[in-house]
Amino acid sequence: MIANLFNTDKQSLPSLPKDVKEAVRKCREATQEALKNRISRMDIEFPVGTKFNVEKSGSKSKGPPTLQEFQRSDRELARLFVEMFQPVGGDRIAVIFKEDEQAEQAKKLWKGDASAASRILALNRGKKQRTGKKSLGFANKLAAELEEEKSSGPFALPENIEVALFISPGPKELVVVEKICNQVGDGTLVVLLNTRLGSISNFGSAAATKLFTQTFESVFHLAAAPQDAAPNCLLHRAYPMDWVLARKPAVGPPKSFGRWSQRPTLEECASTFQSLQLSEVERGVENVVENVASWLK
């Protein structure tokens, strides 16, 4: 039929989620599938500043997203994962933010919510204010000093944690994540949320590079592709499906046009993008013209 001559949708390629709700559903399904296959090191990445609408929103801000909105997006994603893993028990779920302030904000917002039960911690912890110690006796002062040293010393994961969620750790924090992974073994699930591993060029050591680029499985990824290689394109993967490169046309949802079993390199993204010289409709017309020309021979 003539109408189908211009239908160039590639049904064999995995499609991108049409909205946040579908993306969250696909992320849950991918995570469950990874758990079935006993994957204990997972990497999850959503677009920067995604609004999950978990927290009650105030007035919509104009202009580019603010730092607070970025942090809120990360916190909402963490909240979704905490709820997902509630069956193991809140006391066995650790949610680890980078800074004390972020952890305190989560504690405040999640307080009293049974579905958000978890142990909320911070990697970079400041010392508590030393107030009111003049009235303490020597023994109490010593105990207070020891408590301060414990709270601000090297980060350690509490005992009996089965799920450790690290929220947007940077290169410095990944050093701690590596140590935690080595300490707890595969019996503890370690999940990186919005770490942006693809943007990190130096992990500090060969062992760390292997851990974060090979051992950690990209269970769900939906983010901008390298823009210098594939402008205005998205990179997507939902475990155990392939990686796909997609382009957002002027009208309609993103359309996939590249596929790999492993995360594509910068060169692969660039090469695939450069091969996309014509729009989908133009490519369909070109194919029709070629077919007609062959019929006339």
Side-chain angles (χ1 to χ4, degrees):
M1 295 178 63
I2 295 297
N4 290 330
L5 290 176
F6 300 95
N7 182 7
T8 58
D9 286 346
K10 300 178 181 179
Q11 300 295 336
S12 62
L13 291 176
S15 61
L16 273 69
K18 62 182 180 181
D19 53 29
V20 173
K21 184 177 180 180
E22 184 178 344
V24 170
R25 177 184 61 79
K26 289 186 69 173
C27 180
R28 283 198 179 103
E29 292 173 352
T31 302
Q32 291 169 357
E33 193 65 27
L35 289 172
K36 289 179 183 178
N37 288 310
R38 299 183 178 278
I39 293 175
S40 63
R41 301 291 181 264
M42 302 185 189
D43 180 48
I44 308 291
E45 184 169 335
F46 274 79
V48 174
T50 298
K51 295 181 179 179
F52 296 96
N53 296 319
V54 173
E55 300 175 5
K56 293 182 180 179
S57 60
S59 58
K60 294 184 178 180
S61 61
K62 297 181 180 180
T66 63
L67 175 60
Q68 288 72 24
E69 289 173 326
F70 289 150
Q71 292 178 346
R72 172 182 172 174
S73 177
D74 291 341
R75 188 171 59 246
E76 287 186 324
L77 179 58
R79 174 67 181 75
L80 290 171
F81 267 78
V82 168
E83 183 174 0
M84 188 189 310
F85 286 105
Q86 276 304 302
V88 306
D91 60 334
R92 295 181 180 274
I93 303 172
V95 185
I96 305 104
F97 291 88
K98 282 194 291 189
E99 307 293 343
D100 263 332
E101 183 180 356
Q102 296 169 299
E104 291 302 320
Q105 181 74 350
K107 289 178 182 178
K108 178 181 177 181
L109 292 170
W110 300 355
K111 185 177 181 180
D113 188 344
S115 65
S118 56
R119 303 178 73 171
I120 303 173
L121 310 166
L123 285 170
N124 302 319
R125 296 158 295 162
K127 289 190 176 183
K128 299 178 181 178
Q129 292 183 346
R130 301 185 178 187
T131 57
K133 287 188 180 179
K134 291 183 179 180
S135 60
L136 297 177
F138 176 78
N140 288 333
K141 282 184 179 181
L142 181 59
E145 290 287 348
L146 290 174
E147 182 61 28
E148 280 188 359
E149 185 64 27
K150 180 180 178 181
S151 66
S152 61
F155 177 84
L157 199 65
E159 294 183 1
N160 301 321
I161 293 297
E162 294 187 19
V163 180
L165 306 173
F166 287 90
I167 318 305
S168 190
K172 181 179 70 173
E173 289 77 27
L174 288 180
V175 175
V176 180
V177 175
E178 181 187 8
K179 291 180 180 178
I180 295 296
C181 288
N182 293 334
Q183 291 170 358
V184 300
D186 293 337
T188 298
L189 173 64
V190 179
V191 183
L192 302 178
L193 299 179
N194 286 347
T195 304
R196 320 293 176 193
L197 291 176
S199 65
I200 300 175
S201 58
N202 185 0
F203 291 96
S205 69
T209 300
K210 181 179 180 180
L211 174 66
F212 294 114
T213 63
Q214 298 180 33
T215 304
F216 268 90
E217 181 76 38
S218 186
V219 171
F220 185 85
H221 183 99
L222 180 60
Q227 293 301 287
D228 52 345
N232 302 316
C233 290
L234 299 169
L235 197 57
H236 174 53
R237 198 251 178 150
Y239 180 89
M241 304 298 288
D242 288 339
W243 288 82
V244 293
L245 188 65
R247 188 179 187 185
K248 180 68 172 70
V251 179
K255 293 185 178 181
S256 305
F257 63 90
R259 181 177 193 164
W260 299 267
S261 59
Q262 301 292 327
R263 180 170 183 150
T265 64
L266 190 70
E267 292 74 18
E268 287 173 329
C269 287
S271 175
T272 303
F273 179 78
Q274 289 168 7
S275 69
L276 191 72
Q277 298 295 330
L278 303 175
S279 70
E280 294 294 326
V281 172
E282 289 170 331
R283 189 176 295 278
V285 171
E286 181 185 59
N287 291 339
V288 171
V289 172
E290 289 178 350
N291 289 336
V292 172
S294 65
W295 297 339
L296 295 176
K297 288 182 179 179

